[in-house]
């Protein structure tokens, strides 16, 4: 039986590309989404049509109770995922002086809280099997900071700290924990940004593609990355070195 990869926020953008790539690499996909049921179902249909296996899984990663309930039920029914990709994320941008506590909290709860709830729910079977890969999608904003994004930058920097700490906690069980930190990538999340202007800030002169992020995740999930843990892999066209 093929191994399972859970990808959160798989209905659109980077998560969708990660799910497609890991399916191509032979994983059975659990494709989490929050609201985009149709998109998640169409992703799974595409994977199945190509000869793979995928199922949509609805839960809000910011809701710890719901996330734990859904994941514990499916893990009990099938088995635990070998690869967990915490990709689901949101932005609520604005200068800090204008930012509401609600905007701050929503981003922290989804981007950082989501990682905690999802990873914790999948950890026990990984520990038992002494095998697993945990991968979090951070951002160049979490490494360098970005004006207008104190909430987002804090959540993404938090992921880096959390992954380094977890990597130390579970390395003895042969589970690796790593971070992929993209720069600008063409998805819904950045559709309102001035693309040509921003591309000038990127040494490689362009936005990244979702496939380029998925390739980094596939590497960290694959056999050739077995000795890499606690690392941050920047996929950012040179924006942050
Ligand atoms: P996107 O196109 O906006 O897609 C976001 C995905 O996350 C969707 O599948 C969405 O599901 C899901 N999601 C959002 N909130 C959720 C929740 N509470 N529970 C479960 N799923 C949730 O974003 P993207 O650009 O692909 O970004 C993916 C990740 O990469 C994010 O963590 C983002 O911070 C990071 N990133 C993106 C860029 C960039 O330039 N695009 C750069 C650096 C880092 P629904 O469709 O169901 O809403």
């Amino acid at each position: 039986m093929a191994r399972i990869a859970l990808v959160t926020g798989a209905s659109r953008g980077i998560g969708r590309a990660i799910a497609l790539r890991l399916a191509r690499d032979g994983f059975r996909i659990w494709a989490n989404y929050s609201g985009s049921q149709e998109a998640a179902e169409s992703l799974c249909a595409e994977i199945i049509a190509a000869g793979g296996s995928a199922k949509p899984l609805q839960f809000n990663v910011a809701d710890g109770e719901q996330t734990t309930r859904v994941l514990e039920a499916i893990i009990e029914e099938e088995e635990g995922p070998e690869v967990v990709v915490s990709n689901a994320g949101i932005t609520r941008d604005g200068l800090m002086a204008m930012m509401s506590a609600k905007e701050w909290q929503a981003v922290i709860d989804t981007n950082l809280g989501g990682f905690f709830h999802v990873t914790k729910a999948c950890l026990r079977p990984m520990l038992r099997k002494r095998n697993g890969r945990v991968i979090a999608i951070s951002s160049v904003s979490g490494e360098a900071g970005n004006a207008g994004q104190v909430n987002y930058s804090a959540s993404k920097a938090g992921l880096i700290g959390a992954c380094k700490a977890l990597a130390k906690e579970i390395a003895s069980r042969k589970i690796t924990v790593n971070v992929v930190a993209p720069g600008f990538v063409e998805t819904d999340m950045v559709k309102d940004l001035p693309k040509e202007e921003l591309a000038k800030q990127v040494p490689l002169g362009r936005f990244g593609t979702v496939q380029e992020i998925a390739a980094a995740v596939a590497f960290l999930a694959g056999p050739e990355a077995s000795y890499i843990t606690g690392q941050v892999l920047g996929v950012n066209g040179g924006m942050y070195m």
Side-chain angles (χ1 to χ4, degrees):
M1 185 83 95
R3 298 158 303 156
I4 296 165
L6 165 65
V7 182
T8 68
S11 47
R12 294 184 283 121
I14 292 171
R16 187 176 197 283
I18 293 170
L20 285 168
R21 174 61 200 258
L22 293 181
R24 214 176 79 199
D25 290 354
F27 287 96
R28 286 150 64 198
I29 304 297
W30 290 354
N32 160 256
Y33 67 99
S34 167
S36 305
Q37 183 178 354
E38 219 171 286
E41 284 171 356
S42 120
L43 163 76
C44 292
E46 188 176 332
I47 290 172
I48 291 164
S53 160
K55 62 173 66 169
L57 269 193
Q58 195 282 329
F59 55 86
N60 170 2
V61 299
D63 181 339
E65 193 275 323
Q66 186 190 39
T67 299
T68 306
R69 181 163 33 80
V70 173
L71 284 175
E72 283 185 354
I74 192 167
I75 288 169
E76 168 100 27
E77 201 180 296
E78 301 191 22
E79 58 175 317
E82 180 178 314
V83 174
V84 176
V85 185
S86 266
N87 163 79
I90 58 167
T91 52
R92 295 287 182 272
D93 295 352
L95 297 175
M96 182 151 165
M98 317 291 280
M99 185 176 287
S100 66
K102 205 170 153 196
E103 288 166 332
W104 165 266
Q105 205 57 49
V107 171
I108 299 293
D109 287 351
T110 303
N111 299 5
L112 190 53
F115 166 81
F116 174 75
H117 304 311
V118 169
T119 309
K120 186 170 156 66
C122 299
L123 213 48
R124 205 166 294 147
M126 281 186 182
L127 292 169
R128 218 180 303 118
K129 286 186 191 166
R130 295 178 172 268
N131 183 33
R133 301 286 167 92
V134 175
I135 300 163
I137 308 301
S138 175
S139 165
V140 71
S141 301
E143 299 179 290
N146 192 24
Q149 290 196 313
V150 291
N151 48 2
Y152 185 80
S153 300
S155 72
K156 295 298 185 180
L159 281 177
I160 294 172
C163 285
K164 289 185 178 184
L166 183 61
K168 288 182 178 172
E169 287 184 15
I170 61 180
S172 64
R173 302 293 185 104
K174 300 187 171 54
I175 304 166
T176 67
V177 187
N178 290 292
V179 175
V180 171
F184 293 120
V185 184
E186 286 193 54
T187 68
D188 291 347
M189 186 174 270
V190 299
K191 68 180 186 306
D192 297 328
L193 299 182
K195 198 174 138 194
E196 272 168 30
E197 212 39 54
L198 289 172
K200 291 182 192 146
Q201 297 174 18
V202 183
L204 283 176
R206 63 172 177 86
F207 278 26
T209 66
V210 292
Q211 290 81 11
E212 286 169 325
I213 309 304
V217 172
F219 167 66
L220 291 170
E224 287 178 320
S226 50
Y227 199 54
I228 299 175
T229 196
Q231 303 303 309
V232 182
L233 178 52
V235 187
N236 58 32
M239 262 183 93
Y240 179 81
M241 297 182 184

Short mmCIF file of all heavy atoms in Angstrom, two decimals, residues 81-139:
data_model
loop_
_atom_site.label_atom_id
_atom_site.label_comp_id
_atom_site.label_asym_id
_atom_site.label_seq_id
_atom_site.Cartn_x
_atom_site.Cartn_y
_atom_site.Cartn_z
N PRO A 81 -0.34 9.47 8.30
CA PRO A 81 0.45 9.89 7.13
C PRO A 81 1.95 9.82 7.43
O PRO A 81 2.38 10.07 8.56
CB PRO A 81 0.01 11.35 6.92
CG PRO A 81 -0.51 11.80 8.23
CD PRO A 81 -1.01 10.60 8.96
N GLU A 82 2.71 9.50 6.40
CA GLU A 82 4.17 9.51 6.55
C GLU A 82 4.72 10.92 6.36
O GLU A 82 5.71 11.32 6.94
CB GLU A 82 4.78 8.57 5.50
CG GLU A 82 6.29 8.51 5.57
CD GLU A 82 6.88 7.55 4.55
OE1 GLU A 82 6.36 6.42 4.42
OE2 GLU A 82 7.83 7.95 3.86
N VAL A 83 4.02 11.69 5.50
CA VAL A 83 4.44 13.06 5.21
C VAL A 83 3.31 14.02 5.57
O VAL A 83 2.15 13.79 5.18
CB VAL A 83 4.78 13.21 3.71
CG1 VAL A 83 5.10 14.66 3.35
CG2 VAL A 83 5.95 12.31 3.33
N VAL A 84 3.64 15.05 6.32
CA VAL A 84 2.64 16.07 6.67
C VAL A 84 3.16 17.42 6.19
O VAL A 84 4.22 17.88 6.64
CB VAL A 84 2.40 16.12 8.20
CG1 VAL A 84 1.43 17.25 8.54
CG2 VAL A 84 1.85 14.80 8.70
N VAL A 85 2.44 18.03 5.27
CA VAL A 85 2.84 19.33 4.75
C VAL A 85 1.85 20.38 5.25
O VAL A 85 0.69 20.41 4.86
CB VAL A 85 2.87 19.35 3.20
CG1 VAL A 85 3.42 20.69 2.71
CG2 VAL A 85 3.70 18.21 2.65
N SER A 86 2.32 21.24 6.15
CA SER A 86 1.49 22.33 6.68
C SER A 86 1.63 23.53 5.76
O SER A 86 2.58 24.31 5.87
CB SER A 86 1.95 22.72 8.08
OG SER A 86 1.20 22.03 9.03
N ASN A 87 0.68 23.64 4.86
CA ASN A 87 0.75 24.68 3.83
C ASN A 87 -0.35 25.72 3.98
O ASN A 87 -0.17 26.86 3.55
CB ASN A 87 0.67 24.00 2.45
CG ASN A 87 0.32 24.97 1.35
OD1 ASN A 87 1.16 25.71 0.86
ND2 ASN A 87 -0.96 25.02 0.97
N ALA A 88 -1.47 25.36 4.58
CA ALA A 88 -2.62 26.28 4.66
C ALA A 88 -2.19 27.60 5.30
O ALA A 88 -1.53 27.60 6.34
CB ALA A 88 -3.75 25.65 5.47
N GLY A 89 -2.54 28.70 4.66
CA GLY A 89 -2.15 29.99 5.22
C GLY A 89 -3.02 31.10 4.69
O GLY A 89 -3.64 30.98 3.62
N ILE A 90 -3.09 32.18 5.46
CA ILE A 90 -3.86 33.36 5.05
C ILE A 90 -3.04 34.62 5.33
O ILE A 90 -2.06 34.59 6.08
CB ILE A 90 -5.20 33.47 5.82
CG1 ILE A 90 -4.97 33.53 7.34
CG2 ILE A 90 -6.12 32.32 5.46
CD1 ILE A 90 -6.20 33.95 8.14
N THR A 91 -3.47 35.71 4.70
CA THR A 91 -2.92 37.03 5.04
C THR A 91 -4.07 37.94 5.47
O THR A 91 -5.20 37.77 5.02
CB THR A 91 -2.23 37.69 3.82
OG1 THR A 91 -3.15 37.67 2.73
CG2 THR A 91 -0.96 36.97 3.42
N ARG A 92 -3.77 38.87 6.36
CA ARG A 92 -4.68 39.98 6.72
C ARG A 92 -3.77 41.19 6.85
O ARG A 92 -3.44 41.61 7.94
CB ARG A 92 -5.42 39.72 8.04
CG ARG A 92 -6.39 38.56 8.06
CD ARG A 92 -7.68 38.86 7.26
NE ARG A 92 -8.61 37.73 7.35
CZ ARG A 92 -8.60 36.68 6.52
NH1 ARG A 92 -7.73 36.61 5.54
NH2 ARG A 92 -9.47 35.70 6.67
N ASP A 93 -3.31 41.72 5.69
CA ASP A 93 -2.24 42.72 5.70
C ASP A 93 -2.72 44.11 6.15
O ASP A 93 -3.87 44.49 5.95
CB ASP A 93 -1.63 42.85 4.30
CG ASP A 93 -0.92 41.57 3.86
OD1 ASP A 93 -0.78 40.65 4.68
OD2 ASP A 93 -0.49 41.50 2.69
N GLY A 94 -1.78 44.87 6.69
CA GLY A 94 -2.05 46.26 7.09
C GLY A 94 -0.94 46.70 8.03
O GLY A 94 -0.29 45.86 8.66
N LEU A 95 -0.73 48.00 8.07
CA LEU A 95 0.30 48.49 8.99
C LEU A 95 -0.13 48.23 10.43
O LEU A 95 -1.33 48.26 10.73
CB LEU A 95 0.51 50.00 8.77
CG LEU A 95 1.03 50.37 7.37
CD1 LEU A 95 1.08 51.88 7.21
CD2 LEU A 95 2.41 49.75 7.12
N MET A 96 0.83 47.98 11.30
CA MET A 96 0.49 47.57 12.67
C MET A 96 -0.37 48.61 13.38
O MET A 96 -1.27 48.27 14.15
CB MET A 96 1.76 47.31 13.48
CG MET A 96 1.44 46.84 14.88
SD MET A 96 2.71 45.78 15.54
CE MET A 96 2.27 45.81 17.26
N ALA A 97 -0.09 49.89 13.11
CA ALA A 97 -0.87 50.95 13.76
C ALA A 97 -2.36 50.84 13.43
O ALA A 97 -3.20 51.31 14.20
CB ALA A 97 -0.32 52.32 13.34
N MET A 98 -2.67 50.25 12.29
CA MET A 98 -4.06 50.13 11.85
C MET A 98 -4.62 48.71 12.04
O MET A 98 -5.77 48.45 11.76
CB MET A 98 -4.17 50.44 10.35
CG MET A 98 -3.39 51.64 9.87
SD MET A 98 -4.09 53.14 10.53
CE MET A 98 -5.43 53.32 9.38
N MET A 99 -3.78 47.79 12.48
CA MET A 99 -4.20 46.38 12.50
C MET A 99 -5.07 46.08 13.72
O MET A 99 -4.74 46.47 14.83
CB MET A 99 -2.94 45.49 12.52
CG MET A 99 -3.25 44.00 12.42
SD MET A 99 -1.74 43.03 12.32
CE MET A 99 -1.21 43.38 10.65
N SER A 100 -6.16 45.37 13.49
CA SER A 100 -7.02 45.00 14.61
C SER A 100 -6.48 43.73 15.27
O SER A 100 -5.75 42.95 14.64
CB SER A 100 -8.44 44.75 14.13
OG SER A 100 -8.48 43.61 13.30
N ALA A 101 -6.86 43.54 16.51
CA ALA A 101 -6.46 42.32 17.23
C ALA A 101 -7.02 41.09 16.51
O ALA A 101 -6.40 40.03 16.50
CB ALA A 101 -6.97 42.38 18.67
N LYS A 102 -8.18 41.27 15.88
CA LYS A 102 -8.80 40.16 15.15
C LYS A 102 -7.95 39.74 13.94
O LYS A 102 -7.77 38.55 13.66
CB LYS A 102 -10.19 40.62 14.69
CG LYS A 102 -11.16 39.50 14.48
CD LYS A 102 -12.57 40.07 14.25
CE LYS A 102 -13.35 39.08 13.41
NZ LYS A 102 -14.54 39.64 12.84
N GLU A 103 -7.42 40.76 13.24
CA GLU A 103 -6.56 40.46 12.08
C GLU A 103 -5.25 39.78 12.53
O GLU A 103 -4.74 38.90 11.86
CB GLU A 103 -6.26 41.75 11.31
CG GLU A 103 -7.47 42.26 10.54
CD GLU A 103 -7.30 43.71 10.06
OE1 GLU A 103 -6.56 44.50 10.69
OE2 GLU A 103 -7.94 44.04 9.05
N TRP A 104 -4.73 40.25 13.64
CA TRP A 104 -3.53 39.63 14.19
C TRP A 104 -3.81 38.15 14.51
O TRP A 104 -3.11 37.26 14.07
CB TRP A 104 -3.10 40.38 15.46
CG TRP A 104 -2.11 39.65 16.31
CD1 TRP A 104 -2.38 38.83 17.38
CD2 TRP A 104 -0.68 39.62 16.15
NE1 TRP A 104 -1.22 38.31 17.89
CE2 TRP A 104 -0.16 38.77 17.15
CE3 TRP A 104 0.20 40.23 15.25
CZ2 TRP A 104 1.20 38.52 17.30
CZ3 TRP A 104 1.57 39.97 15.40
CH2 TRP A 104 2.06 39.13 16.40
N GLN A 105 -4.89 37.93 15.27
CA GLN A 105 -5.18 36.59 15.79
C GLN A 105 -5.55 35.60 14.70
O GLN A 105 -5.14 34.44 14.76
CB GLN A 105 -6.32 36.69 16.82
CG GLN A 105 -6.31 35.56 17.84
CD GLN A 105 -4.98 35.48 18.60
OE1 GLN A 105 -4.48 36.47 19.12
NE2 GLN A 105 -4.39 34.29 18.65
N ALA A 106 -6.29 36.07 13.68
CA ALA A 106 -6.72 35.15 12.61
C ALA A 106 -5.50 34.56 11.90
O ALA A 106 -5.45 33.36 11.60
CB ALA A 106 -7.60 35.89 11.61
N VAL A 107 -4.51 35.39 11.66
CA VAL A 107 -3.31 34.93 10.94
C VAL A 107 -2.47 34.01 11.82
O VAL A 107 -1.99 32.96 11.36
CB VAL A 107 -2.51 36.15 10.42
CG1 VAL A 107 -1.16 35.72 9.86
CG2 VAL A 107 -3.31 36.88 9.35
N ILE A 108 -2.32 34.37 13.08
CA ILE A 108 -1.55 33.51 13.99
C ILE A 108 -2.26 32.16 14.16
O ILE A 108 -1.64 31.10 14.11
CB ILE A 108 -1.37 34.19 15.39
CG1 ILE A 108 -0.59 35.51 15.25
CG2 ILE A 108 -0.69 33.24 16.38
CD1 ILE A 108 0.85 35.40 14.82
N ASP A 109 -3.58 32.20 14.35
CA ASP A 109 -4.33 30.96 14.58
C ASP A 109 -4.27 30.02 13.38
O ASP A 109 -4.17 28.81 13.53
CB ASP A 109 -5.81 31.27 14.88
CG ASP A 109 -5.99 31.87 16.27
OD1 ASP A 109 -5.02 31.89 17.05
OD2 ASP A 109 -7.11 32.34 16.57
N THR A 110 -4.34 30.59 12.17
CA THR A 110 -4.34 29.74 10.97
C THR A 110 -2.93 29.28 10.63
O THR A 110 -2.65 28.08 10.50
CB THR A 110 -4.93 30.52 9.77
OG1 THR A 110 -6.24 30.96 10.11
CG2 THR A 110 -5.01 29.64 8.53
N ASN A 111 -2.02 30.22 10.49
CA ASN A 111 -0.69 29.89 9.96
C ASN A 111 0.19 29.14 10.98
O ASN A 111 0.93 28.24 10.60
CB ASN A 111 0.04 31.16 9.52
CG ASN A 111 -0.70 31.89 8.41
OD1 ASN A 111 -1.81 31.51 8.03
ND2 ASN A 111 -0.11 32.96 7.89
N LEU A 112 0.09 29.53 12.25
CA LEU A 112 0.94 28.91 13.27
C LEU A 112 0.15 27.89 14.08
O LEU A 112 0.61 26.76 14.28
CB LEU A 112 1.52 30.01 14.17
CG LEU A 112 2.62 29.62 15.15
CD1 LEU A 112 3.77 28.90 14.47
CD2 LEU A 112 3.14 30.88 15.88
N GLY A 113 -1.05 28.27 14.52
CA GLY A 113 -1.91 27.33 15.25
C GLY A 113 -2.22 26.12 14.39
O GLY A 113 -2.24 24.99 14.87
N GLY A 114 -2.46 26.35 13.10
CA GLY A 114 -2.76 25.25 12.18
C GLY A 114 -1.65 24.23 12.15
O GLY A 114 -1.89 23.02 12.18
N PHE A 115 -0.43 24.70 12.11
CA PHE A 115 0.73 23.78 12.13
C PHE A 115 0.70 22.93 13.39
O PHE A 115 0.91 21.71 13.35
CB PHE A 115 2.04 24.59 12.06
CG PHE A 115 3.26 23.76 12.41
CD1 PHE A 115 3.85 22.94 11.46
CD2 PHE A 115 3.79 23.80 13.70
CE1 PHE A 115 4.96 22.16 11.79
CE2 PHE A 115 4.90 23.03 14.03
CZ PHE A 115 5.47 22.21 13.07
N PHE A 116 0.44 23.58 14.53
CA PHE A 116 0.43 22.85 15.81
C PHE A 116 -0.65 21.77 15.81
O PHE A 116 -0.37 20.60 16.10
CB PHE A 116 0.21 23.84 16.96
CG PHE A 116 0.04 23.15 18.29
CD1 PHE A 116 1.14 22.61 18.95
CD2 PHE A 116 -1.22 23.02 18.87
CE1 PHE A 116 0.98 21.96 20.17
CE2 PHE A 116 -1.38 22.37 20.09
CZ PHE A 116 -0.28 21.85 20.75
N HIS A 117 -1.89 22.17 15.45
CA HIS A 117 -3.00 21.20 15.53
C HIS A 117 -2.79 20.03 14.59
O HIS A 117 -3.00 18.87 14.95
CB HIS A 117 -4.33 21.89 15.18
CG HIS A 117 -4.64 23.08 16.04
ND1 HIS A 117 -4.55 23.06 17.40
CD2 HIS A 117 -5.03 24.35 15.71
CE1 HIS A 117 -4.88 24.25 17.88
NE2 HIS A 117 -5.16 25.05 16.88
N VAL A 118 -2.38 20.34 13.35
CA VAL A 118 -2.26 19.30 12.32
C VAL A 118 -1.10 18.36 12.65
O VAL A 118 -1.23 17.13 12.63
CB VAL A 118 -2.06 19.95 10.93
CG1 VAL A 118 -1.65 18.92 9.89
CG2 VAL A 118 -3.34 20.67 10.51
N THR A 119 0.05 18.93 12.98
CA THR A 119 1.23 18.10 13.23
C THR A 119 1.02 17.24 14.48
O THR A 119 1.34 16.06 14.49
CB THR A 119 2.48 18.98 13.38
OG1 THR A 119 2.55 19.85 12.26
CG2 THR A 119 3.75 18.15 13.42
N LYS A 120 0.45 17.85 15.51
CA LYS A 120 0.24 17.09 16.76
C LYS A 120 -0.67 15.89 16.53
O LYS A 120 -0.41 14.80 17.02
CB LYS A 120 -0.34 18.02 17.83
CG LYS A 120 -0.46 17.36 19.19
CD LYS A 120 -0.81 18.40 20.24
CE LYS A 120 -1.50 17.78 21.45
NZ LYS A 120 -0.67 16.88 22.22
N ALA A 121 -1.72 16.10 15.74
CA ALA A 121 -2.67 15.00 15.49
C ALA A 121 -2.01 13.84 14.73
O ALA A 121 -2.46 12.70 14.84
CB ALA A 121 -3.87 15.52 14.72
N CYS A 122 -0.97 14.14 13.96
CA CYS A 122 -0.32 13.09 13.14
C CYS A 122 0.94 12.51 13.76
O CYS A 122 1.53 11.57 13.23
CB CYS A 122 0.05 13.67 11.76
SG CYS A 122 -1.37 14.26 10.83
N LEU A 123 1.34 13.09 14.89
CA LEU A 123 2.66 12.76 15.44
C LEU A 123 2.76 11.35 16.02
O LEU A 123 3.75 10.65 15.81
CB LEU A 123 3.02 13.81 16.50
CG LEU A 123 4.48 14.18 16.65
CD1 LEU A 123 5.13 14.47 15.31
CD2 LEU A 123 4.61 15.39 17.59
N ARG A 124 1.69 10.95 16.75
CA ARG A 124 1.79 9.68 17.47
C ARG A 124 2.07 8.49 16.54
O ARG A 124 2.99 7.71 16.80
CB ARG A 124 0.55 9.46 18.34
CG ARG A 124 0.87 8.53 19.49
CD ARG A 124 -0.16 8.52 20.57
NE ARG A 124 -0.29 9.78 21.29
CZ ARG A 124 -1.45 10.24 21.79
NH1 ARG A 124 -2.55 9.58 21.62
NH2 ARG A 124 -1.47 11.38 22.44
N PRO A 125 1.30 8.36 15.42
CA PRO A 125 1.63 7.23 14.52
C PRO A 125 3.03 7.32 13.92
O PRO A 125 3.69 6.30 13.71
CB PRO A 125 0.55 7.30 13.43
CG PRO A 125 -0.21 8.56 13.64
CD PRO A 125 0.06 9.03 15.03
N MET A 126 3.50 8.54 13.67
CA MET A 126 4.87 8.70 13.15
C MET A 126 5.89 8.23 14.18
O MET A 126 6.86 7.56 13.85
CB MET A 126 5.16 10.17 12.85
CG MET A 126 4.59 10.66 11.56
SD MET A 126 5.18 12.36 11.33
CE MET A 126 4.37 12.75 9.82
N LEU A 127 5.66 8.62 15.44
CA LEU A 127 6.58 8.24 16.52
C LEU A 127 6.61 6.73 16.67
O LEU A 127 7.66 6.11 16.84
CB LEU A 127 6.17 8.91 17.84
CG LEU A 127 6.33 10.44 17.89
CD1 LEU A 127 5.65 11.01 19.13
CD2 LEU A 127 7.81 10.83 17.90
N ARG A 128 5.40 6.13 16.56
CA ARG A 128 5.30 4.67 16.70
C ARG A 128 6.08 3.96 15.59
O ARG A 128 6.78 3.02 15.82
CB ARG A 128 3.83 4.27 16.67
CG ARG A 128 3.51 3.14 17.64
CD ARG A 128 2.04 2.74 17.62
NE ARG A 128 1.10 3.80 17.92
CZ ARG A 128 0.17 4.26 17.08
NH1 ARG A 128 0.05 3.74 15.88
NH2 ARG A 128 -0.65 5.22 17.44
N LYS A 129 5.92 4.51 14.36
CA LYS A 129 6.59 3.86 13.22
C LYS A 129 8.06 4.23 13.09
O LYS A 129 8.76 3.69 12.26
CB LYS A 129 5.88 4.29 11.92
CG LYS A 129 4.54 3.63 11.71
CD LYS A 129 4.01 4.02 10.33
CE LYS A 129 2.58 3.62 10.16
NZ LYS A 129 1.96 4.27 9.00
N ARG A 130 8.46 5.22 13.86
CA ARG A 130 9.85 5.72 13.77
C ARG A 130 10.19 6.12 12.34
O ARG A 130 11.22 5.75 11.79
CB ARG A 130 10.85 4.69 14.30
CG ARG A 130 10.67 4.43 15.77
CD ARG A 130 11.63 3.40 16.30
NE ARG A 130 11.52 3.35 17.76
CZ ARG A 130 12.27 4.06 18.61
NH1 ARG A 130 13.20 4.85 18.15
NH2 ARG A 130 12.10 3.96 19.90
N ASN A 131 9.27 6.87 11.75
CA ASN A 131 9.46 7.28 10.36
C ASN A 131 8.51 8.44 10.07
O ASN A 131 7.36 8.41 10.48
CB ASN A 131 9.11 6.10 9.43
CG ASN A 131 9.35 6.44 7.98
OD1 ASN A 131 10.26 7.19 7.65
ND2 ASN A 131 8.51 5.90 7.11
N GLY A 132 8.99 9.45 9.36
CA GLY A 132 8.08 10.52 8.96
C GLY A 132 8.81 11.76 8.53
O GLY A 132 10.00 11.95 8.80
N ARG A 133 8.06 12.59 7.81
CA ARG A 133 8.58 13.87 7.34
C ARG A 133 7.54 14.95 7.66
O ARG A 133 6.39 14.84 7.21
CB ARG A 133 8.82 13.86 5.82
CG ARG A 133 9.79 12.79 5.34
CD ARG A 133 11.23 13.16 5.69
NE ARG A 133 12.13 12.02 5.50
CZ ARG A 133 12.79 11.76 4.39
NH1 ARG A 133 12.68 12.57 3.36
NH2 ARG A 133 13.58 10.73 4.30
N VAL A 134 7.96 15.95 8.38
CA VAL A 134 7.10 17.10 8.66
C VAL A 134 7.68 18.28 7.89
O VAL A 134 8.88 18.58 8.02
CB VAL A 134 7.05 17.41 10.18
CG1 VAL A 134 6.26 18.68 10.45
CG2 VAL A 134 6.48 16.23 10.95
N ILE A 135 6.84 18.93 7.09
CA ILE A 135 7.32 20.06 6.27
C ILE A 135 6.33 21.22 6.44
O ILE A 135 5.12 21.04 6.26
CB ILE A 135 7.41 19.65 4.78
CG1 ILE A 135 8.38 18.47 4.62
CG2 ILE A 135 7.86 20.84 3.92
CD1 ILE A 135 8.25 17.72 3.32
N ALA A 136 6.86 22.39 6.80
CA ALA A 136 6.00 23.56 6.96
C ALA A 136 6.33 24.58 5.88
O ALA A 136 7.51 24.78 5.54
CB ALA A 136 6.20 24.18 8.34
N ILE A 137 5.30 25.23 5.37
CA ILE A 137 5.52 26.28 4.38
C ILE A 137 5.52 27.62 5.10
O ILE A 137 4.48 28.10 5.56
CB ILE A 137 4.44 26.26 3.26
CG1 ILE A 137 4.30 24.86 2.64
CG2 ILE A 137 4.78 27.31 2.20
CD1 ILE A 137 5.57 24.29 2.00
N SER A 138 6.70 28.20 5.20
CA SER A 138 6.86 29.51 5.83
C SER A 138 6.85 30.56 4.72
O SER A 138 6.08 30.45 3.76
CB SER A 138 8.16 29.52 6.64
OG SER A 138 8.42 30.78 7.18
N SER A 139 7.71 31.55 4.82
CA SER A 139 7.75 32.61 3.81
C SER A 139 9.00 33.45 4.03
O SER A 139 9.51 33.55 5.15
CB SER A 139 6.53 33.52 3.98
OG SER A 139 6.71 34.73 3.26
#
